[in-house]
Amino acid sequence: TTEIYTLSLHDALPICKHILENAQLRAGKTLTNIAITIHYAPPRSMASMHYIERLRVRSYDHIFVLADRETESYEKADTKTVAMIIQLRHLMDNQNANGEGKVVSNFNPVVETCTSIAEEQLAMCGITNVVNTSLLLSRALALVTMKQVSHGVLMDLLSIDGNNLDIQDLQAYLGKGEKLPAELSFAEATSYVHRAAQQILIGWTQERDDGSTEYIINPKQKLETRPWHAGHRLLVIKDV
């Protein structure tokens, strides 16, 4: 069962159900093993440790922090976001030191920001998995303005009934008894993905020097081989 815990300043259950309905529509099946729990916090207390402690953050596989766009300005929304990240890190560090639960060594949430200043502040906290949605919107508008054909591409990727962007294991494309290769080029990975109907490889994962993982989109050296193991992932577009 997938458990979703949400800290929200309003009743987020209808929104969660709407997102789930869209996910089921894209997947073409009913997703039944999902449990949603909503924790409410007043708007001015979203970053309060009193409310953050209610979340079992050390047990989560993934953490997403969304910007509060209902606040007065983007700057205030980002201030609240950065404060929440600092509180979460402080909470985990204290629990690690006290030996409470499992030790979390890699705190790397996905964080939505509205300004570049917040990105710099989060980088100082060691958080690099940041999505500036305001910048994404501006770039999308600029792309469509410069090339109107891009509108169709974006609609196909982002609409509910369009294509899916998915993360896959290379093992999903191997035949029965076929072993995972120890080395792989992007061209070879593309040929593996083409074994599946209506799927296109657009990127893959790669380790940074510090051991963290990043996604490389459309790598330039497509014939150059690199080490490959079970922890690596492929980024594909699926025609649904």
Side-chain angles (χ1 to χ4, degrees):
T1 299
T2 299
E3 295 180 287
I4 301 173
Y5 290 85
T6 303
L7 179 64
S8 176
L9 52 84
H10 52 66
D11 183 10
L13 189 57
I15 299 175
C16 291
K17 288 183 176 179
H18 180 66
I19 294 173
L20 179 58
E21 290 172 359
N22 288 342
Q24 292 177 145
L25 180 61
R26 294 178 70 95
K29 59 183 179 181
T30 302
L31 306 176
T32 57
N33 297 324
I34 296 180
I36 302 174
T37 302
I38 308 295
H39 294 278
Y40 172 78
R44 294 187 177 183
S45 303
M46 283 292 292
S48 170
M49 182 64 77
H50 172 70
Y51 291 97
I52 291 176
E53 285 178 332
R54 297 181 181 182
L55 302 175
R56 298 188 290 113
V57 291
R58 291 166 56 80
S59 66
Y60 300 158
D61 295 319
H62 307 285
I63 298 176
F64 299 86
V65 179
L66 303 182
D68 178 13
R69 292 182 173 273
E70 296 182 4
T71 193
E72 298 176 13
S73 64
Y74 284 170
E75 288 75 15
K76 288 190 176 182
D78 281 344
T79 298
K80 187 180 296 185
T81 299
V82 173
M84 182 174 291
I85 292 298
I86 292 174
Q87 293 281 49
L88 285 169
R89 179 178 286 281
H90 180 68
L91 176 64
M92 288 191 170
D93 288 345
N94 282 347
Q95 292 179 344
N96 279 342
N98 296 333
E100 301 175 18
K102 68 177 183 180
V103 176
V104 179
S105 57
N106 184 24
F107 176 60
N108 190 29
V110 179
V111 185
E112 179 191 15
T113 62
C114 304
T115 66
S116 57
I117 296 176
E119 292 185 57
E120 296 173 2
Q121 293 173 336
L122 290 171
M124 294 173 64
C125 299
I127 306 299
T128 57
N129 205 359
V130 177
V131 180
N132 188 331
T133 48
S134 300
L135 184 59
L136 284 177
L137 179 59
S138 300
R139 288 180 174 177
L141 289 173
L143 182 62
V144 173
T145 302
M146 295 176 65
K147 292 184 179 180
Q148 293 188 6
V149 69
S150 303
H151 178 264
V153 176
L154 292 175
M155 286 295 294
D156 197 37
L157 286 174
L158 303 177
S159 63
I160 295 175
D161 56 350
N163 290 329
N164 273 341
L165 192 64
D166 202 359
I167 298 172
Q168 290 280 17
D169 186 344
L170 180 62
Q171 192 69 47
Y173 303 99
L174 300 182
K176 186 177 181 180
E178 193 173 3
K179 294 182 179 180
L180 196 72
E183 291 188 339
L184 189 69
S185 69
F186 193 78
E188 291 171 334
T190 301
S191 67
Y192 280 118
V193 173
H194 281 172
R195 294 179 177 182
Q198 299 178 318
Q199 294 191 26
I200 300 175
L201 177 66
I202 63 170
W204 58 11
T205 57
Q206 181 174 296
E207 282 88 8
R208 297 189 180 97
D209 293 337
D210 61 1
S212 61
T213 300
E214 64 177 338
Y215 281 90
I216 305 298
I217 308 298
N218 190 26
K220 294 181 179 180
Q221 305 300 329
K222 294 180 173 56
L223 299 179
E224 183 178 319
T225 59
R226 47 160 287 192
W228 192 267
H229 57 69
H232 288 133
R233 293 294 180 265
L234 302 172
L235 188 61
V236 302
I237 293 177
K238 294 182 177 179
D239 185 0
V240 295

